[in-house]
Amino acid sequence: MGTKHYGQVTEEELRSIPGLYEWQIEGKLNSEDLAFYDSITLVLLEEVSIFSPLYSDIGRPSTNPAILTSALIYGKMNQLSERKLVERVLSSDSSQMALGLYKSPTPLNRERLIKFRQKLDEYKQRTGIDLMEKAVLIATNRFAKEMGITGDLSRMDSTLINANIRIRSRIDLIYTSIYDACRVMFQVVSAEFVAIHNLEDFRKYTERSHRNEFLYRKAEESLDKVGELFEAYQRLREVNVASKGYLRREVSTFQTMINVFREQTTVDSKTGQRRLYVPEDNMMYAGMLQSTYDTDCAYREKDNHVVRGYVGNTLESISENGTLVTHWKLAPANVADITMFEAYLNSLPDAQLPLATSELRRIIVDAAYYSGKMSDLARKKGFLLYPSDLTGGDVDPIWAQFKLNEEGTKVIGCPKNNTVLDCGELNRQGKMTVHMEPSGCEKCPHRDSCKVKGKKVASVSVAPKTVYRAMIQEQLGTEEYQPYQHLRNGVETIQSLLKNVYGFTRMRFKSLTMNEIDLSCAVAALNFRKYLGFLHGIGRYAENSLLG
């Protein structure tokens, strides 16, 4: 694909446009648009080969995928729909230059943008590779290099985002699942199949008037709404069995209908009749299907706030020149913060050599991300966690006075400086057995807290994660720890910008992968504006002793 001509304007052609800089002085060319071309569009044009899996080298040249990617980011930055974005590009020389499309022979159009987004979505669902995320990371790494952001100091947080769905009653959800199954069924099955299995009476579920009449008529006019839906579901399942699974294979929404009935209903063991689950059955859970249109979103209640949607997780890297979002992920709302953090750490390579504490990179997190297991995993990957708070009960403060070596693999001292004879390796429980002089432990006031065993040789079981937790517990609230807590508070800015500037109070699309692509565009726009602030000298971070 590297030799294919896509029809975009080259950098030399754009720079040679008569009066370009005069336009900028006169205000006809937006300085932000020119910076966008330099920082986003040109960078992606250089790395256009990452999109090669989406296109063939044979046939008529298409619009450059790097240009389409830049256009999606540009639209998100200016909060424009595809239609509004195309209108602006066609009417604005400045916007054309931002995307490298000034008087281009292949102008932008809405259909190309939508189809390109769909291609990215299909490719990710098929391979698990997010090309939009890769493209945004390329641009972000360029910004980070110029801003001196190394990733040595980062902070992480999450935010809940509502899905783009209606909150439906249970009967509405069940009806909609049957409607979707019938709608697709009549599109894909033959008239002969409908006649053989006597399915013509199911056509009523595809009529818009039937939905309103069925769901909203008065109760006394309805003999048994739920019973009618149960009967329809049972008949469809019988047809599927009789056709040897034909409906399940060919009707894409048939499985969704089965999932809805499996989660919302049960067959009563006494009567043999299907009924809705009730709270006493204890079968309600957060991962239950919330909508037949967005099967990825989930239910979550946090701080008396109910969300049916997703959780967005961001890692922000910090330097004295500013901050950038260097990692972001989206997941159903019922996925815990600590689960997303663990997935992030597992995606990183192990540190090559045992690192001293001073060589570890630092991540500031809140209590929802922190545990002894996460602390151990982070250290294995070359990170040291600094929680702003801790969940669970406090450990005995005496453990903070045990001294570990730089790698955290050996105990080299105890609270009363008793002589350490030897220290064993970590066992499966994450503990080390330490042998010390018994004379030093006999009259030690901490003997009971340490749970000393043995007479000839005093032995103590020490868990490094307990030592680190006690140290953090001791440090929380101290003057030395305040800079970390101050830095942690600043991460809320990212969540605020995503919601209030880039529209993530509610998702735009009805699938996880499409919304992840949209989030990547928002992160690219956010990072670009942070980089632009750095270029203008207004992006420096507030004074903090951790930033030198």
Side-chain angles (χ1 to χ4, degrees):
M1 190 178 74
T3 58
K4 183 179 286 189
H5 177 65
Y6 290 98
Q8 82 279 356
V9 181
T10 65
E11 182 180 8
E12 291 76 16
E13 291 171 334
L14 190 67
R15 297 297 183 191
S16 64
I17 295 172
L20 174 66
Y21 293 101
E22 287 78 2
W23 287 10
Q24 186 176 357
I25 293 171
E26 294 173 9
K28 295 180 181 179
L29 178 59
N30 189 324
S31 61
E32 183 178 84
D33 287 345
L34 190 58
F36 186 91
Y37 176 76
D38 286 331
S39 308
I40 299 288
T41 306
L42 274 183
V43 170
L44 296 183
L45 286 171
E46 292 171 6
E47 303 289 343
V48 69
S49 60
I50 66 171
F51 298 103
S52 58
L54 302 181
Y55 294 90
S56 170
D57 288 334
I58 304 171
R60 186 176 64 181
S62 60
T63 303
N64 192 317
I67 298 295
L68 295 173
T69 303
S70 297
L72 292 177
I73 295 171
Y74 187 80
K76 195 67 182 177
M77 184 175 73
N78 293 285
Q79 281 297 283
L80 301 171
S81 64
E82 283 82 1
R83 181 176 60 82
K84 291 288 186 182
L85 172 61
V86 170
E87 288 177 0
R88 175 180 287 196
V89 171
L90 293 178
S91 62
S92 168
D93 290 336
S94 185
S95 296
Q96 289 177 25
M97 288 182 180
L99 302 179
L101 287 171
Y102 185 70
K103 295 184 178 179
S104 170
T106 54
L108 207 63
N109 64 56
R110 179 173 176 269
E111 289 71 25
R112 284 178 181 167
L113 288 171
I114 293 174
K115 188 174 181 180
F116 178 65
R117 196 191 292 269
Q118 290 171 345
K119 280 189 174 185
L120 292 171
D121 177 42
E122 292 166 1
Y123 184 75
K124 179 168 185 183
Q125 291 194 40
R126 188 173 71 252
T127 66
I129 300 173
D130 190 338
L131 295 180
M132 177 62 81
E133 182 183 18
K134 289 178 69 174
V136 174
L137 280 173
I138 288 171
T140 297
N141 290 338
R142 298 279 186 100
F143 299 158
K145 187 175 181 180
E146 291 193 39
M147 295 173 68
I149 295 177
T150 61
D152 289 341
L153 182 62
S154 306
R155 57 193 179 193
M156 182 173 279
D157 198 20
S158 65
T159 185
L160 293 172
I161 310 168
N162 283 303
N164 189 9
I165 60 172
R166 282 177 54 194
I167 300 176
R168 299 178 181 275
S169 65
R170 296 172 70 188
I171 189 171
D172 194 349
L173 182 63
I174 290 171
Y175 180 93
T176 304
S177 71
I178 294 178
Y179 158 76
D180 287 337
C182 293
R183 175 177 55 82
V184 178
M185 179 179 70
F186 284 110
Q187 292 174 356
V188 300
V189 304
S190 63
E192 182 182 1
F193 184 92
V194 172
I196 291 173
H197 296 283
N198 194 24
L199 295 173
E200 192 60 40
D201 56 333
F202 280 89
R203 203 175 291 275
K204 65 185 179 183
Y205 288 105
T206 65
E207 299 171 0
R208 190 179 298 272
S209 59
H210 181 269
R211 179 191 189 89
N212 293 334
E213 180 185 351
F214 184 88
L215 291 176
Y216 305 116
R217 64 190 173 187
K218 293 181 180 179
E220 58 267 20
E221 297 175 4
S222 171
L223 296 176
D224 184 5
K225 293 182 184 179
V226 177
E228 184 178 333
L229 294 178
F230 288 169
E231 183 181 347
Y233 170 69
Q234 187 60 33
R235 280 189 59 194
L236 287 172
R237 289 199 64 182
E238 290 171 356
V239 170
N240 181 61
V241 173
S243 61
K244 298 181 180 179
Y246 177 79
L247 289 181
R248 195 168 187 170
R249 290 193 307 272
E250 301 299 325
V251 179
S252 59
T253 53
F254 193 83
Q255 184 59 50
T256 302
M257 178 188 70
I258 292 176
N259 292 343
V260 168
F261 274 82
R262 184 179 297 156
E263 293 178 347
Q264 298 289 346
T265 69
T266 185
V267 176
D268 195 290
S269 58
K270 295 180 179 179
T271 64
Q273 300 296 313
R274 185 172 293 276
R275 63 172 175 82
L276 290 170
Y277 274 124
V278 294
E280 289 74 17
D281 293 319
N282 293 320
M283 292 300 293
M284 304 294 181
Y285 61 99
M288 293 176 70
L289 194 70
Q290 301 297 310
S291 169
T292 58
Y293 299 110
D294 187 347
T295 57
D296 296 320
C297 68
Y299 176 94
R300 185 170 177 180
E301 188 172 348
K302 183 177 180 181
D303 299 330
N304 297 322
H305 178 57
V306 173
V307 169
R308 292 173 175 84
Y310 299 89
V311 56
N313 196 63
T314 56
L315 178 72
E316 186 183 14
S317 296
I318 312 168
S319 80
E320 59 181 357
N321 292 323
T323 68
L324 290 173
V325 177
T326 52
H327 172 79
W328 58 96
K329 282 297 176 187
L330 202 63
N334 62 330
V335 177
D337 292 345
I338 198 168
T339 303
M340 298 186 75
F341 187 38
E342 183 176 9
Y344 166 67
L345 291 175
N346 284 327
S347 69
L348 301 174
D350 291 349
Q352 294 299 314
L353 297 171
L355 299 175
T357 302
S358 58
E359 298 176 300
L360 295 171
R361 290 175 287 174
R362 296 162 293 174
I363 300 182
I364 308 169
V365 297
D366 63 21
Y369 292 96
Y370 187 81
S371 71
K373 178 184 175 182
M374 287 301 102
S375 180
D376 292 342
L377 180 58
R379 199 174 186 91
K380 181 181 176 183
K381 302 295 182 177
F383 290 96
L384 194 61
L385 297 190
Y386 284 85
S388 59
D389 196 5
L390 293 174
T391 57
D394 291 343
V395 299
D396 195 316
I398 194 62
W399 294 109
Q401 298 180 40
F402 276 83
K403 300 178 182 64
L404 304 179
N405 63 359
E406 284 291 316
E407 292 76 24
T409 56
K410 298 288 182 182
V411 175
I412 58 176
C414 80
K416 285 298 180 179
N417 294 318
N418 192 7
T419 303
V420 176
L421 300 177
D422 63 73
C423 179
E425 301 293 329
L426 281 171
N427 59 23
R428 291 183 179 180
Q429 287 76 38
K431 296 182 178 181
M432 301 176 290
T433 300
V434 185
H435 295 132
M436 292 181 285
E437 287 285 353
S439 58
C441 294
E442 283 179 0
K443 298 181 180 180
C444 179
H446 306 305
R447 180 182 177 86
D448 292 337
S449 298
C450 296
K451 298 179 181 179
V452 178
K453 297 179 181 178
K455 295 181 178 180
K456 293 184 178 180
V457 177
S459 63
V460 180
S461 291
V462 180
K465 62 182 180 183
T466 303
V467 174
Y468 290 130
R469 182 180 179 89
M471 291 169 63
I472 293 171
Q473 184 179 290
E474 190 178 70
Q475 292 170 6
L476 286 174
T478 63
E479 188 174 342
E480 293 77 13
Y481 207 81
Q482 284 184 359
Y484 289 102
Q485 292 177 317
H486 291 163
L487 280 180
R488 165 63 186 80
N489 295 338
V491 77
E492 303 293 346
T493 306
I494 296 297
Q495 319 306 334
S496 177
L497 289 171
L498 287 174
K499 286 177 177 288
N500 299 320
V501 177
Y502 299 105
F504 277 90
T505 53
R506 187 181 182 90
M507 288 300 185
R508 182 183 175 192
F509 300 98
K510 291 182 171 66
S511 80
L512 175 63
T513 50
M514 287 289 274
N515 286 321
E516 282 182 320
I517 293 168
D518 200 39
L519 179 61
S520 293
C521 292
V523 168
L526 189 153
N527 282 345
F528 166 70
R529 284 193 163 143
K530 284 179 171 288
Y531 173 66
L532 200 59
F534 162 73
L535 293 180
H536 292 163
I538 57 175
R540 290 182 62 83
Y541 201 85
E543 289 187 11
N544 190 295
S545 59
L546 299 177
L547 302 177

